[in-house]
Amino acid sequence: EAAIKAVEAIRRLESDMNVPMRLSNYGISKSVYGEIAALASAYPFIKNTPRELTRSEIENILIAAY
């Protein structure tokens, strides 16, 4: 229940601050997602994630965030 309230509070804050919620709001074309995923997978700190992500998985996350 506390986690749900925290998420709701963050969403209200984002709404109040008019923070864009989708990558499409930033004018990022889907055509560059492959390049972004490649850069992200080569970034040294990507190894600190809870589990290893493939370039394809990173690209899928970007597509879902569009």
Side-chain angles (χ1 to χ4, degrees), residues 31-51:
S31 65
V32 297
Y33 284 1
E35 183 179 345
I36 294 170
L39 289 169
S41 64
Y43 191 70
F45 293 112
I46 196 76
K47 294 177 178 144
N48 295 337
T49 57
R51 71 172 185 82

Side-chain angles (χ1 to χ4, degrees), residues 1-2 11-12 14 16 18 20 24 27-28 30 32 34 39 43 47-48 52 54 61 64-65:
E1 186 175 315
R11 288 191 175 149
R12 277 193 306 276
E14 290 169 334
D16 292 347
N18 201 26
S24 58
I28 299 171
K30 286 183 180 180
V32 297
L39 289 169
Y43 191 70
K47 294 177 178 144
N48 295 337
E52 188 174 328
T54 67
I61 291 168

